[in-house]
Amino acid sequence: MRVGVMIGPERGDSAKKVGRMIDDVLWAEEAGMDTAWIPQVPTDFDALVAASLMGARTSRIELGTAVVPLQAQHPIALARQALSAQAAAGGRLTLGVGPSHHWIVSDMLGLPYEKPAAYTRDYLDVLDVALRGPGDVDVENGTFAVHNPLGIGPIAPLPVMLAALGPVMLRIAGERADGTVLWMADERAVADHVAPRITKAAQEAGRPAPRIVAGIPVCLCKPSEVDAARERAARILGEAEISPNYQRLLDYGDAADVGDLCAAGDEEAIAARFRRFRDAGVTDLSVRLLPIGEGREQLVASKRRTREVLAGIAADLR
């Protein structure tokens, strides 16, 4: 199992965020982490722009978006942006995309959120052709009528990962993508729901075994602080739990909320949780570092210690 870290978004002054993201990805590369996953949230930096910036400053680490909402841009625009970012990263980009959630697409963007699975299929019809460029993109389906010449193409294979939570989306991910990127999926949800469905769909479509990327918070702490760490995870990261999509995914597992998903405790406890995800079928972990402490000095020290432990665990699991 490969282990990577989430980098950005974060609160604070936009002028300082780029420097912090670059510092984080340089640490990840130097520490031997396999991947850096860049979330795309409605209120923060563009994930593909961030991937381009990180790619220009690194040489080895894989950079992935987790994930770009499909409805926010036309598939030709997304393909052009992704191909540009891939070139900036020297071919190390993995494009994570997904149909997002009604509270983002409808409530925030004012766009229709109807039949997201069908929309995803139609979108991938265009995106797949565009990412194989250069050449003409001529696709007509139920959603798009595209006749667009594209003068750029991938400089290396460009994997596409699909955020897939329910049965229909997992089938699409297995048939059409290189894997799935998850959030709010615990070990039982992966083992009993995600892995069997996406793997079966990939096999039936004649595709290679799919990657399963699971995002989880991690907090290195004393055993006596585990409950506090999980409460902190629920407080900081729990907003997404309002989504019906995530609620349904939680129902497939044992976790009630993101606090239950948090790998909290000492090094041995965190490593054991990682192994359980691996045994459930996860091919890649995307770790959200969750420092613990009072005040900036303690939080910085906690982050530093967690990084050191994480690098060691990642090397053991590779």
Side-chain angles (χ1 to χ4, degrees):
M1 183 175 68
R2 305 167 80 226
V3 179
V5 290
M6 294 186 196
I7 297 180
E10 55 182 81
R11 299 182 180 89
D13 184 355
S14 293
K16 298 177 180 177
K17 286 184 182 182
V18 172
R20 287 198 294 266
M21 287 192 297
I22 296 300
D23 287 344
D24 285 346
V25 78
L26 289 175
W27 166 81
E29 177 154 281
E30 292 166 4
M33 305 304 293
D34 295 295
T35 50
W37 296 97
I38 304 147
Q40 178 69 74
V41 299
T43 58
D44 216 283
F45 275 9
D46 183 272
L48 280 166
V49 171
S52 299
L53 293 168
M54 295 179 194
R57 296 291 301 274
T58 55
S59 61
R60 176 197 58 80
I61 194 168
E62 178 187 3
L63 303 168
T65 58
V67 297
V68 176
L70 295 177
Q71 295 90 337
Q73 59 256 295
H74 191 279
I76 292 295
L78 178 58
R80 188 166 52 234
Q81 190 179 13
L83 290 168
S84 301
Q86 191 215 26
R92 292 176 286 119
L93 179 71
T94 291
L95 179 63
V97 300
S100 194
H101 305 275
H102 71 88
W103 53 275
I104 293 176
V105 177
S106 295
D107 299 349
M108 293 185 180
L109 299 179
L111 298 172
Y113 191 72
E114 300 171 357
K115 299 181 179 179
Y119 181 83
T120 298
R121 287 187 186 276
D122 287 351
Y123 198 107
L124 290 175
D125 287 345
V126 182
L127 186 66
D128 289 348
V129 175
L131 293 180
R132 292 197 298 265
D136 292 337
V137 182
D138 291 305
V139 176
E140 293 192 14
N141 56 34
T143 305
F144 299 99
V146 177
H147 304 282
N148 190 97
L150 198 61
I152 56 175
I155 65 170
L158 177 49
V160 175
M161 307 286 283
L162 185 61
L165 308 182
V168 175
M169 287 299 300
L170 285 166
R171 185 170 66 249
I172 295 172
E175 294 171 345
R176 302 288 302 272
D178 295 288
T180 186
V181 182
L182 304 170
W183 182 248
M184 297 288 181
D186 69 3
E187 299 94 322
R188 187 163 75 88
V190 173
D192 294 350
H193 168 62
V194 174
R197 293 178 190 276
I198 192 173
T199 301
K200 182 175 185 289
Q203 289 173 343
E204 292 177 347
R207 295 180 63 89
R211 290 172 70 181
I212 299 175
V213 183
I216 63 168
V218 171
C219 180
L220 178 69
C221 62
K222 300 174 184 176
S224 61
E225 297 174 317
V226 167
D227 288 344
R230 289 177 176 161
E231 289 171 4
R232 177 173 168 80
R235 185 173 66 254
I236 294 175
L237 304 172
E239 291 182 3
E241 292 171 18
I242 64 172
S243 168
N245 296 337
Y246 285 138
Q247 287 293 327
R248 285 190 289 268
L249 185 58
L250 286 169
D251 288 342
Y252 283 106
D254 297 314
D257 56 28
V258 71
D260 290 339
L261 282 169
C262 183
D266 58 18
E267 180 174 356
E268 184 176 333
I270 293 171
R273 189 82 191 266
F274 281 18
R275 288 192 294 269
R276 291 198 293 273
F277 274 100
R278 178 197 61 191
D279 295 343
V282 169
T283 63
D284 300 74
L285 272 183
S286 172
V287 171
R288 168 63 155 86
L289 296 180
L290 190 72
I292 193 169
E294 298 294 332
R296 184 179 184 280
E297 187 173 324
Q298 288 187 16
L299 291 172
V300 169
S302 174
K303 181 178 180 180
R304 187 179 302 115
R305 290 192 302 270
T306 305
R307 279 177 164 183
E308 292 171 359
V309 166
L310 181 62
I313 296 173
D316 290 341
L317 291 173
R318 193 169 295 117

